[in-house]
Amino acid sequence: MRAFARFSLFRWLFTYSRRMLVGEGVNPGLEVDTYFPDVDPVRVSRDLERDGAAFGLKLPGHVVEKILKFTGDTHCYADRNVDKGFLVADRVAAEKQLDKTILVAQYFNTLSECPEVAKLISDPVLNQIAGLYLKSKPTFVGANLWWTFPVDATDEDRSRHAHVFHRDVDDFRFFKFFFYLTDVKEGDGAHVCVLGSQGKAPAKSFLDRWNIRRYSDEEVSETYPDSSIVEICGNAGEGFAEDTWCLHKGMTPTNSPRLLLQFQFALFDYGVANDIRDPETLKAIT
Ligand SMILES: O=C(O)CCC(=O)C(=O)O
Ligand SMILES: [Fe+2]
């Protein structure tokens, strides 16, 4: 899929053929009430189309609190490794045990373990946005919930955990909802997006336009106006939608940890975007 999904022609072809096959709209079985009564799905979908990102989502405080409680009581996994579980309160002990700094730690099986997250993915407004933007009945392909910690990270960890500009080639058409669960100010690991960069990566040569690679900050700032490179800050609960076919990266926090909840919707589910792991394989180190 990745070999083809970088070309606009295939992206267009798969998007519209799927629409002819499965039709438009949302899937049955969604919640009746939404957490986002003031959000207009048409506006969000339009902003996503134009800018590659759309802002103005906010989770109710009680939902944020419940998810935060879950993250305090449940093991997260260093570097997304199933055998490196620890409670977030034991992070220092976990780093000692691993003899390395932990830049990213992720929770697993959030849909089955955290009812608030399961409820959110059936939210009617989020699903309407997905249906409109994807142009056919959306496929939910995964929830991911992870911490990014303020550490002196290695270049390898920064690249592995998407702290270097890149674009995702996850499907012929897809996008993600991002919700901050901690306040994210400057220095707290904001997500950075280059607005309007969908399908327009910096290129060193004609063929490089279609390469899937990492991009340096310099390359990005030489190619795009400063005004389009947006460091997205926000309070706990605030969220946005982004088509990460745009150039984007996470920043390595220098002050406070960032907790992020992400949902991905796409045309097809390749089974690689979810956080589902066999509970038998999960192991704790603290
Ligand atoms: O941590 C971040 O903000 C970057 C995440 C990212 O690259 C992605 O979700 O595709
Ligand atoms: Fe990414």
Side-chain angles (χ1 to χ4, degrees):
M1 178 279 299
R2 285 166 68 86
F4 296 106
R6 65 185 96 171
F7 300 107
S8 320
L9 176 66
F10 288 103
R11 298 178 75 83
W12 184 89
L13 215 64
F14 274 84
T15 301
Y16 287 96
S17 336
R18 185 172 185 275
R19 175 179 172 141
M20 274 162 60
L21 285 171
V22 305
E24 296 172 68
V26 293
N27 295 302
L30 300 177
E31 297 283 330
V32 176
D33 296 322
T34 176
Y35 284 137
F36 311 95
D38 302 327
V39 171
D40 175 6
V42 175
R43 189 274 297 169
V44 173
S45 166
R46 202 186 326 113
D47 289 0
L48 259 175
E49 191 77 56
R50 188 190 55 217
D51 302 329
F55 301 93
L57 301 174
K58 186 151 174 62
L59 288 173
H62 65 92
V63 176
V64 174
E65 270 166 38
K66 284 194 185 124
I67 302 175
L68 280 175
K69 165 112 183 50
F70 167 81
T71 60
D73 295 343
T74 313
H75 284 95
C76 53
Y77 292 81
D79 292 321
R80 304 190 161 107
N81 279 328
V82 287
D83 54 359
K84 292 184 183 155
F86 66 97
L87 288 176
V88 67
D90 299 333
R91 176 161 65 100
V92 174
E95 289 189 331
K96 268 209 190 101
Q97 181 79 14
L98 297 173
D99 195 25
K100 81 182 275 284
T101 55
I102 300 172
L103 175 60
V104 160
Q106 153 119 25
Y107 295 87
F108 290 126
N109 302 319
T110 41
L111 282 190
S112 53
E113 299 295 321
C114 183
E116 284 305 322
V117 172
K119 201 167 166 193
L120 264 168
I121 61 139
S122 292
D123 187 280
V125 166
L126 297 190
N127 279 272
Q128 277 161 28
I129 293 168
L132 285 169
Y133 184 64
L134 298 173
K135 302 188 189 298
S136 58
K137 286 200 183 100
T139 308
F140 168 74
V141 296
N144 286 282
L145 174 62
W146 77 90
W147 287 102
T148 312
F149 297 112
V151 295
D152 190 8
T154 59
D155 286 346
E156 190 195 336
D157 272 358
R158 290 186 60 249
S159 177
R160 169 156 66 136
H161 293 305
H163 288 197
V164 179
F165 276 113
H166 64 285
R167 50 189 179 147
D168 301 336
V169 192
D170 291 359
D171 199 357
F172 296 96
R173 196 166 171 90
F174 70 95
F175 77 105
K176 301 175 178 179
F177 288 109
F178 292 73
F179 290 101
Y180 290 143
L181 296 169
T182 47
D183 290 342
V184 177
K185 302 191 184 66
E186 217 173 289
D188 300 336
H191 180 84
V192 182
C193 175
V194 183
L195 297 179
S197 65
Q198 50 282 47
K200 289 178 236 142
K204 290 181 180 152
S205 64
F206 181 70
L207 287 180
D208 192 33
R209 286 170 62 184
W210 292 285
N211 243 343
I212 301 170
R213 62 174 176 92
R214 302 292 198 203
Y215 301 88
S216 68
D217 288 359
E218 293 70 37
E219 231 180 334
V220 170
S221 56
E222 276 163 17
T223 312
Y224 301 97
D226 285 351
S227 58
S228 66
I229 307 169
V230 190
E231 191 180 325
I232 305 169
C233 292
N235 293 324
E238 288 181 357
F240 53 95
E242 183 181 318
D243 182 339
T244 53
W245 173 235
C246 279
L247 282 167
H248 65 284
K249 66 172 183 174
M251 288 177 79
T252 307
T254 49
N255 291 337
S256 305
R258 181 195 79 175
L259 180 64
L260 179 77
L261 174 63
Q262 188 182 78
F263 301 131
Q264 183 165 348
F265 287 88
L267 302 185
F268 305 104
D269 188 358
Y270 305 94
V272 292
N274 63 62
D275 69 352
I276 300 170
R277 301 291 183 279
D278 178 354
E280 298 275 309
T281 62
L282 301 179
K283 293 193 181 63
I285 51 165
T286 61

